């Protein structure tokens, strides 16, 4: 009986040692996995930081690219200076009294711009009366997604050099009134100028 008891105790001790070995193995595995998990968390944090930095860099470069593109578009735009507005009589001479005008003349200069693509340019003129009515009916052109009516139009050949004394005429077919007239010029889908002229004589 005592011998059997001793054998049972030894068997139990052996099982305990086996369980201790298994437990040590699991503890080692858990420790290894814990270290690996910490390493992965650190790596994930580093990747997130790099991703944030890359996103910020991409946004900065995209912003700089957009600014450069906008500057390039502005640099390429045709420009006009020295815009003047005059009323003419039936002999083509200047007429001080706007009510007697038979023709209206808009004169301007196109400065030299080496950034502007050369070629044919379509110029569109809009003259608005003091009452807010558009004079003439020379068709429409595209501007900011809409078809806009114009007073007159003219096609020119632009070679990058300055063009002085460029004129667009409008033949008056009604009696004009004294007051402030608005003169606008457009080309390539954008506005070149908008000027007001007081014709009170």
């Amino acid at each position: 009986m005592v011998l059997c008891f001793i054998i049972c105790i030894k068997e139990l001790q052996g099982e305990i040692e086996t369980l201790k070995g298994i437990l040590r193995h699991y503890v080692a595995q858990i420790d290894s996995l814990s270290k690996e998990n910490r390493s992965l968390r650190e790596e994930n944090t580093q990747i997130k930081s790099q991703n944030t930095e890359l996103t910020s860099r991409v946004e900065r470069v995209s912003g700089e690219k957009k600014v450069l593109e906008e500057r390039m578009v502005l640099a390429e735009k045709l420009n006009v200076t020295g815009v003047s507005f005059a009323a003419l009589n039936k002999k083509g001479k200047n007429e001080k009294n706007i009510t007697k005008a038979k023709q209206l003349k808009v004169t301007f200069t196109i400065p030299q711009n080496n950034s502007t693509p050369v070629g044919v340019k379509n110029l569109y003129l809009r003259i608005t009366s003091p009452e807010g009515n558009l004079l003439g009916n020379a068709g429409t052109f595209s501007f900011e997604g809409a078809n806009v009516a114009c007073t007159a139009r003219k096609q020119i050949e632009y070679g990058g050099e300055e063009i002085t004394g460029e004129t667009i005429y409008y033949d008056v077919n009604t009696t004009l009134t004294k007051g402030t007239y608005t003169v606008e010029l457009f080309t390539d889908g954008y506005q070149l100028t908008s000027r007001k002229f007081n014709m009170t004589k």
Side-chain angles (χ1 to χ4, degrees):
M1 187 71 151
V2 173
L3 182 61
C4 182
F5 183 71
I6 292 171
I7 293 171
C8 286
I9 289 175
K10 285 184 177 180
E11 288 178 352
L12 289 172
Q13 286 176 338
E15 290 180 5
I16 289 170
E17 288 300 322
T18 301
L19 289 173
K20 283 182 178 179
I22 293 171
L23 182 60
R24 282 194 296 273
H25 175 70
Y26 282 141
V27 168
Q29 277 191 326
I30 290 169
D31 184 56
S32 176
L33 289 171
S34 178
K35 289 179 180 178
E36 186 177 347
N37 190 36
R38 280 198 301 271
S39 176
L40 288 172
R41 282 201 301 268
E42 290 173 358
E43 185 178 350
N44 188 40
T45 301
Q46 184 179 3
I47 289 172
K48 284 182 177 179
S49 176
Q50 290 175 345
N51 188 46
T52 300
E53 184 181 347
L54 284 172
T55 300
S56 176
R57 190 181 302 173
V58 167
E59 289 176 352
R60 185 173 66 253
V61 171
S62 296
E64 291 172 353
K65 181 174 179 281
K66 184 179 179 181
V67 169
L68 287 173
E69 287 175 346
E70 289 174 350
R71 287 179 180 174
M72 181 61 71
V73 169
L74 287 173
E76 289 180 349
K77 283 185 174 181
L78 203 66
N79 190 24
V80 294
T81 60
V83 180
S84 65
F85 178 62
L88 305 178
N89 58 29
K90 60 183 180 181
K91 294 181 179 180
K93 303 295 184 180
N94 285 346
E95 175 58 63
K96 293 182 179 180
N97 189 343
I98 189 72
T99 63
K100 296 179 180 180
K102 298 300 179 182
Q103 199 174 48
L104 297 178
K105 180 177 74 170
V106 175
T107 306
F108 51 92
T109 294
I110 300 176
Q112 178 180 348
N113 187 345
N114 295 328
S115 297
T116 301
V118 299
V120 175
K121 301 292 180 183
N122 292 305
L123 302 177
Y124 302 94
L125 170 67
R126 282 172 55 89
I127 302 175
T128 307
S129 71
E131 296 76 26
N133 300 319
L134 178 71
L135 302 182
N137 182 18
T140 62
F141 62 96
S142 179
F143 178 65
E144 295 185 347
N147 289 324
V148 180
C150 64
T151 300
R153 63 175 68 200
K154 184 174 186 178
Q155 196 173 77
I156 65 167
E157 183 72 32
Y158 184 68
E161 301 298 326
E162 181 180 76
I163 302 175
T164 59
E166 190 62 62
T167 56
I168 301 180
Y169 294 93
Y170 164 64
D171 293 329
V172 177
N173 53 19
T174 185
T175 301
L176 300 178
T177 58
K178 296 179 181 181
T180 301
Y181 287 76
T182 302
V183 173
E184 299 170 284
L185 285 168
F186 298 81
T187 190
D188 294 336
Y190 63 91
Q191 187 181 61
L192 287 163
T193 188
S194 178
R195 295 280 307 276
K196 293 186 181 298
F197 295 91
N198 195 5
M199 309 294 283
T200 56
K201 292 185 179 181

